Amino acid sequence: MTRGGSNGYQRKLIDVTLPLTQISYASIAYKERKVGTIKNLHKWFAPMPMPALRALIFASLVDDPGPGSQREELVELVKQLVPINGMAPPDEVLVKARLLIEKSNPELPTVLDPFAGGGSTIVEALRLGLPGISSDLNPVAVIVTRTLGELLPPIAHVPPISQRQRQQRAHDVPYDGFADDVRYYGELVQDAVRQRLGDYYPVPVSGEPVAWLWARTVPCANPMCPIRVPLYGSPWLSKQRGREVTIELAVRGGEVDFEIRQGKNSLAKSTKGAGRAQFSCPRCSTPIGERELRQAGKDGKLGLQLMALCIDTRQGRTFLAADEVPRSDLAIDVPDDLDEITLGANTKNFSHPLYGLDYQTDLYTPRQLAVLTAFADEVSATYDRIVEDGGSATYARAVVTVLGICVSKMAQANSTLVRWRTRVGPSKPEPAFGSQAMPMLWDFAEAYPFGNSVGSWSAQINSVISVFRSLPSDAMPGRVVQVDARRAGDLVQPGTALIVTDPPYFGQINYADLSDYFYLWLRRALRLVHPDLFGTIATPKSIELVANPARHGGSKDAAQRYFVDGFTEVFRSLQKASRPDLPIVVAYAAKQDDADAGGAVSSAWVSMLQAVLASGLAVVGTMPIESTMSTRQVSQGANALASYIILVCRPRQAEDVADKGTFLSRLHKELPEAVEALRKGGVSPLDMGQAAMGPGMKIFSEYKEVLLPDGRPMEVRDALIEIDKAATAVIDGEEAEYDAATRFCLRWFRQFGFDRGAYGDADVVLRQTGTAIRDLVGAGIVSNAPAGSVSLLGVDELPADYDPLDDGRISHWEVAMHLAKAFDDRGIDGAAHLVAAVRSRSDDAISIDRVNRLVHRIFKIADRRFQRTATLFNQLGTAWPDIIAAAQIMGTIATNARPDADDLFSFLETDDE
């Protein structure tokens, strides 16, 4: 991270250092957890990991004691606050953290987050013993955060009110009594809905339904063909080993039926073609394309056809063909009083309107609408029942709110957005929002609401109850309100708050339009107990702080101006609320998918930094926190959102004016050290570009203005372009420091990767780098067979018994490649053994720091071209700090005795056992 200056205030730990690798690992582990976190309460879009927020809040409040053991102890405590499993720390660690916060803050600040999102900030503030206030314009975000931070803390130790549970509970475990009541009243809700609508879902005698599998249908585009074509993408119903099942079309006259086929050798095909919406008729092979499908949808000609029913039996998960599925003769009574909420206008993310499906209610089958409405209405009526049973108004509000959230969660797994997921294990419905969009699905799974599998009411209850144990059980309740972020600073007394927030990511997520999916059901269930949140038909949109061109006449420039102006207001408001000695901490992440021809600069970053500086703030420190699995896709345009960049901001006190030359001179002087620090800190190669923006912007914001040669002030976009150029020059310019063999490999890899090239091409590079092909072949890094061709040896082609102590032609490239192989085969310990062996050589031929830089360089060349190599080297670069730490411990093995490679790896195998 970059370091901030004192400027008259006591520096906090966040101004100096943080254990970024530990925080990143804990954040990744948190995101990978499927149960037992606040994510299980309700879906929110791209939430900030709780371990990262916990560390940021603590480090923003404790004074930095200066270099030495006390600072090291603080850093160690931060590590203890973010356990590697991603969960909450032990109570004794929290007690120590709270005492240190109180020592640095005789009067505790209120933690204020004006973009509540999924509720992480207020939960972590309460966990650390701090008062917390969160707000959001979006009512879905508010109800989720209000539940976590305001409604649940007061009832952590309240006994259950249901008579049945009173008799069973003999001890007080936090939230267990509340969980009992959620189950009890949840069962009453389900019983009432089943009694009313259970006959809509006829159950076969052979097992319990999991999901009905449907395909949309459309009339064949051939006017002479009488059939309706089922639109589905895959014939596979199950890929579970030993239980493979496919579905096959059978055309009989003017009808299309589906038949079940057992076994993995089926030749069944689907009607789907190669394009996004390309199908063909199974009877006459007439193609049906996007234009025909859109017109059919707008003409109301899309239909549904049942393909199969998945059921759970004693023998396992199995499938019934459509003609074996029990049918109900009852007409579905579709509610006629549901709110009419239109789908988002951005057809890239909301494609249904292209096919005549314009409303949220168009996303459901008739019986899904009926059953979700019934659950919402029964939940709404439960409030009075709880009060009649002796519950307080506060307690009844908490129970009903949680049950209302369960209705909303149930909708996520009960709509036409639900995919049928085939996998190695049993197939299952995959709830909506695998991405931040609502794509058109041509085939989908309709879950069974009264069962126990995905999409059932009981599954939602169990999922929500799993959240309770992850919450602090001794916290005072916070306050959560619906407020425009421009006015959030007014929620606290001026100068009393610590601002920690994770704001919207420019125009990448359509928060309000996506939230309408949930708002429809939350409003139905909870408008009587939360009238302040559900007074409007849909979520607020016109003043939402995102750069959505659809709300600005299609103009991207106007959308960006709106975003910058709005966030300038936000940061000015927050400065008034912020305690003068505390930083303002902003977590931000943005894909580089809107770069312009002037350089690799994201409009999202330009806009956010423009607003920060225009509001009178300066960026005094930055740090990246990894939030995604290091095995994520990193090439071929995957454009994964990998890291949060944490901006540490304070009031801008710059008075100096610099010219462009002075700014560039400082960039070229200071960026190499900053990039090296980021690299050693474990910043992944994929994220280095974004991470390097921080040190550069720190330099830029230290000046009141940076003037161009014509006297105009340099804009943020131009500054970011120069920062990107300088950072790239740092990385690219390092090639000159490598040995000749490595320089050859880099140049060859840039052109051919691991593919073969002609010897004539290689000869040119050999001459440029002063190398000979026989030396490269002898070194085990190049192959010249067959004759007349040259290729680099890939990781899979390298020998497993490589020993750097016996290598007479060692090069940085060779070490980097063998490190990648060791890491791929044996993980951190395998790579660490190799590093320890390299360090034990008697010469200084190899610099491990240069190898680290080479790992980043190889990734940069491979990114978007050579996917597997890019992924592997990104993982290796991210794990670098742990590899070096492990190598230091193992170093004595290499220095006290000279083992061979087998001895080194036998030690590793013993450890693994």
Side-chain angles (χ1 to χ4, degrees):
M1 65 178 287
T2 57
R3 297 170 180 257
S6 59
N7 292 324
Y9 56 81
Q10 167 65 51
R11 291 202 300 182
K12 303 300 181 182
L13 184 64
I14 199 171
D15 292 311
V16 182
T17 186
L18 275 181
L20 297 180
T21 301
Q22 176 87 5
I23 296 170
S24 293
Y25 283 169
S27 298
I28 292 169
Y30 171 83
K31 283 212 164 184
E32 290 177 349
R33 279 192 167 270
K34 302 300 182 185
V35 296
T37 73
I38 68 168
K39 295 181 299 177
N40 296 114
L41 182 66
H42 196 276
K43 172 69 179 178
W44 189 248
F45 309 99
M48 181 77 177
M50 296 180 73
L53 285 166
R54 191 181 313 133
L56 294 173
I57 293 171
F58 175 78
S60 298
L61 291 173
V62 293
D63 295 339
D64 171 49
S69 60
Q70 286 185 307
R71 179 187 286 171
E72 292 172 2
E73 289 174 6
L74 276 181
V75 172
E76 181 59 33
L77 182 58
V78 175
K79 292 181 179 179
Q80 295 173 20
L81 280 170
V82 288
I84 206 71
N85 62 3
M87 298 303 286
D91 288 344
E92 58 269 21
V93 174
L94 287 170
V95 169
K96 188 173 182 180
R98 290 177 180 182
L99 289 174
L100 287 170
I101 290 173
E102 291 173 2
K103 182 179 178 181
S104 296
N105 301 270
E107 186 172 342
L108 293 177
T110 297
V111 176
L112 173 61
D113 181 3
F115 297 100
S120 300
T121 304
I122 197 168
V123 170
E124 291 307 326
L126 300 182
R127 195 188 309 278
L128 290 169
L130 298 158
I133 296 179
S134 284
S135 66
D136 207 297
L137 179 67
N138 192 303
V140 176
V142 175
I143 195 63
V144 172
T145 305
R146 179 177 288 178
T147 302
L148 293 167
E150 184 176 319
L151 301 183
L152 292 180
I155 50 86
H157 300 279
V158 175
I161 62 172
S162 55
Q163 288 295 328
R164 182 186 64 178
Q165 302 299 348
R166 277 181 184 168
Q167 295 167 3
Q168 292 179 356
R169 285 286 174 202
H171 60 283
D172 177 22
V173 176
Y175 291 109
D176 270 11
F178 182 73
D180 288 339
D181 279 340
V182 170
R183 286 193 186 93
Y184 174 75
Y185 287 103
E187 288 174 7
L188 295 181
V189 167
Q190 175 169 275
D191 291 344
V193 176
R194 189 200 289 267
Q195 186 173 359
R196 288 170 50 192
L197 304 180
D199 290 342
Y200 285 174
Y201 296 85
V203 177
V205 295
S206 51
E208 181 180 277
V210 174
W212 287 259
L213 307 181
W214 296 92
R216 294 186 186 273
T217 64
V218 66
C220 179
N222 178 359
M224 303 302 293
C225 184
I227 74 166
R228 294 190 63 86
V229 179
L231 311 173
Y232 67 108
S234 171
W236 285 100
L237 300 183
S238 172
K239 292 183 179 179
Q240 186 178 5
R241 193 166 300 163
R243 304 183 66 87
E244 293 88 354
V245 181
T246 56
I247 194 166
E248 186 171 333
L249 278 175
V251 180
R252 298 182 177 93
E255 300 284 334
V256 175
D257 294 326
F258 289 98
E259 298 175 352
I260 303 294
R261 293 285 183 267
Q262 305 290 335
K264 61 182 178 181
N265 296 320
S266 171
L267 299 177
K269 297 180 180 180
S270 71
T271 58
K272 183 78 166 62
R276 183 183 66 174
Q278 301 293 323
F279 297 87
S280 62
C281 175
R283 183 176 184 271
C284 66
S285 300
T286 298
I288 302 171
E290 181 84 15
R291 184 174 61 181
E292 290 84 5
L293 290 172
R294 290 187 183 186
Q295 191 59 52
K298 292 176 181 177
D299 292 342
K301 294 181 180 179
L302 291 178
L304 292 176
Q305 181 173 356
L306 182 65
M307 296 190 293
L309 170 63
C310 178
I311 60 174
D312 277 335
T313 69
R314 291 182 178 180
Q315 291 74 37
R317 192 153 287 186
T318 189
F319 298 86
L320 300 179
D323 59 2
E324 302 175 294
V325 176
R327 302 294 180 98
S328 172
D329 295 329
L330 297 175
I332 305 295
D333 185 14
V334 179
D336 59 3
D337 60 344
L338 284 168
D339 296 331
E340 290 191 350
I341 305 177
T342 56
L343 290 166
N346 175 4
T347 55
K348 176 182 177 182
N349 299 113
F350 303 89
S351 56
H352 291 79
L354 295 173
Y355 307 95
L357 306 174
D358 297 322
Y359 297 95
Q360 289 287 338
T361 50
D362 292 333
L363 302 177
Y364 302 88
T365 67
R367 66 178 174 182
Q368 284 176 330
L369 287 174
V371 79
L372 287 168
T373 301
F375 271 103
D377 291 346
E378 289 296 333
V379 166
S380 181
T382 301
Y383 179 90
D384 291 337
R385 172 175 285 173
I386 296 172
V387 173
E388 292 171 3
D389 289 346
S392 67
T394 299
Y395 193 79
R397 191 172 184 234
V399 173
V400 169
T401 300
V402 168
L403 292 177
I405 284 174
C406 286
V407 177
S408 184
K409 279 173 63 70
M410 193 177 179
Q412 188 181 353
N414 283 272
S415 76
T416 60
L417 299 181
V418 177
R419 300 178 186 273
W420 184 245
R421 180 187 173 194
T422 57
R423 51 183 185 156
V424 175
S427 301
K428 66 173 186 176
E430 188 74 13
F433 302 109
S435 63
Q436 324 293 2
M438 293 183 186
M440 183 72 169
L441 295 190
W442 300 105
D443 55 282
F444 61 91
E446 182 183 19
Y448 181 49
F450 305 116
N452 296 292
S453 188
V454 176
S456 67
W457 178 250
S458 64
Q460 315 317 316
I461 297 290
N462 292 333
S463 175
V464 166
I465 286 175
S466 75
V467 173
F468 300 158
R469 292 288 179 89
S470 68
L471 301 176
S473 60
D474 59 348
M476 295 294 292
R479 181 183 171 210
V480 184
V481 294
Q482 184 184 21
V483 169
D484 184 342
R486 300 169 182 85
R487 296 186 286 110
D490 298 334
L491 296 172
V492 298
Q493 291 295 318
T496 63
L498 167 66
I499 312 297
V500 179
T501 191
D502 173 25
Y505 304 145
F506 195 60
Q508 294 167 3
I509 300 177
N510 299 276
Y511 298 93
D513 289 322
L514 290 168
S515 296
D516 277 340
Y517 180 95
F518 300 112
Y519 185 85
L520 172 67
W521 305 110
L522 288 168
R523 182 172 188 264
R524 182 94 183 189
L526 299 179
R527 59 187 166 190
L528 296 181
V529 293
H530 295 280
D532 60 322
L533 301 183
F534 300 111
T536 58
I537 297 296
T539 61
K541 296 179 180 64
S542 61
I543 59 173
E544 183 186 26
L545 271 175
V546 294
N548 188 340
R551 297 178 193 156
H552 300 274
S555 170
K556 289 185 177 180
D557 290 340
Q560 183 176 3
R561 286 195 301 272
Y562 173 79
F563 184 90
V564 172
D565 292 345
F567 268 96
T568 301
E569 285 188 62
V570 169
F571 288 127
R572 284 174 179 162
S573 173
L574 295 179
Q575 281 188 76
K576 296 176 183 177
S578 176
R579 206 172 78 184
D581 64 314
L582 298 179
I584 293 176
V585 181
V586 181
Y588 202 59
K591 298 178 183 179
Q592 295 285 4
D593 59 358
D594 58 348
D596 61 17
V601 176
S602 164
S603 295
W605 276 107
V606 170
S607 302
M608 179 55 68
L609 291 170
Q610 276 183 343
V612 167
L613 299 182
S615 72
L617 289 171
V619 178
V620 299
T622 63
M623 67 201 76
I625 291 178
E626 187 93 0
S627 64
T628 309
M629 293 175 61
S630 57
T631 54
R632 66 189 182 275
Q633 298 296 305
V634 296
S635 61
Q636 313 260 328
N639 201 11
L641 191 62
S643 289
Y644 293 88
I645 304 301
I646 309 303
L647 305 178
V648 182
C649 305
R650 292 184 183 272
R652 195 176 186 185
Q653 300 175 351
E655 297 294 337
D656 293 339
V657 175
D659 58 25
K660 180 180 179 180
T662 300
F663 172 59
L664 295 182
S665 176
R666 285 194 62 188
L667 277 181
H668 292 294
K669 181 180 179 180
E670 298 177 30
L671 266 190
E673 181 180 351
V675 169
E676 185 68 9
L678 291 167
R679 193 153 36 200
K680 289 182 177 180
V683 176
S684 70
L686 177 63
D687 302 322
M688 184 58 73
Q690 285 194 23
M693 288 192 301
M697 282 308 300
K698 177 179 180 294
I699 296 171
F700 182 75
S701 63
E702 286 177 2
Y703 296 106
K704 184 177 181 181
E705 286 183 332
V706 174
L707 298 180
L708 298 171
D710 62 3
R712 292 181 297 110
M714 178 181 282
E715 295 183 355
V716 170
R717 177 177 292 276
D718 296 326
L720 287 174
I721 291 173
E722 296 299 338
I723 292 166
D724 182 73
K725 289 179 181 178
T728 300
V730 169
I731 298 172
D732 291 352
E734 292 164 351
E735 291 191 16
E737 70 181 346
Y738 292 114
D739 54 81
T742 298
R743 294 199 304 274
F744 169 86
C745 293
L746 279 169
R747 294 185 185 186
W748 189 260
F749 183 67
R750 190 180 293 110
Q751 186 173 358
F752 294 101
F754 294 106
D755 295 334
R756 293 203 159 273
Y759 181 82
D761 293 329
D763 186 57
V764 175
V765 183
L766 289 168
R767 294 174 186 276
Q768 291 173 344
T769 55
T771 49
I773 194 67
R774 63 178 178 273
D775 293 334
L776 299 176
V777 172
I781 54 180
V782 165
S783 168
N784 64 342
S789 66
V790 172
S791 67
L792 297 175
L793 292 179
V795 170
D796 295 336
E797 300 174 278
L798 299 176
D801 58 350
Y802 174 70
D803 182 0
L805 297 173
D806 291 333
D807 191 345
R809 291 192 177 96
I810 196 167
S811 66
H812 288 84
W813 177 272
E814 186 177 15
V815 172
M817 295 300 294
H818 279 285
L819 268 176
K821 181 177 181 63
F823 179 74
D824 198 29
D825 292 344
R826 299 172 179 266
I828 287 173
D829 283 345
H833 276 287
L834 193 57
V835 169
V838 170
R839 282 179 165 175
S840 68
R841 287 175 60 98
S842 58
D843 57 20
D844 295 323
I846 299 299
S847 163
I848 292 299
D849 285 343
R850 286 181 182 176
V851 174
N852 183 16
R853 293 194 285 273
L854 180 59
V855 166
H856 282 250
R857 188 78 194 109
I858 292 171
F859 165 81
K860 187 173 181 181
I861 297 171
D863 189 25
R864 299 184 183 276
R865 295 182 62 198
F866 313 114
Q867 182 174 352
R868 184 177 182 278
T869 301
T871 300
L872 177 56
F873 277 83
N874 187 57
Q875 291 174 305
L876 181 60
T878 304
W880 196 263
D882 288 335
I883 293 171
I884 298 303
Q888 289 173 345
I889 297 172
M890 299 171 183
T892 54
I893 300 172
T895 55
N896 294 341
R898 185 180 176 280
D900 59 25
D902 289 338
D903 291 334
L904 284 172
F905 288 113
S906 67
F907 175 84
L908 172 61
E909 289 164 0
T910 302
D911 274 359
D912 283 348
E913 290 172 2

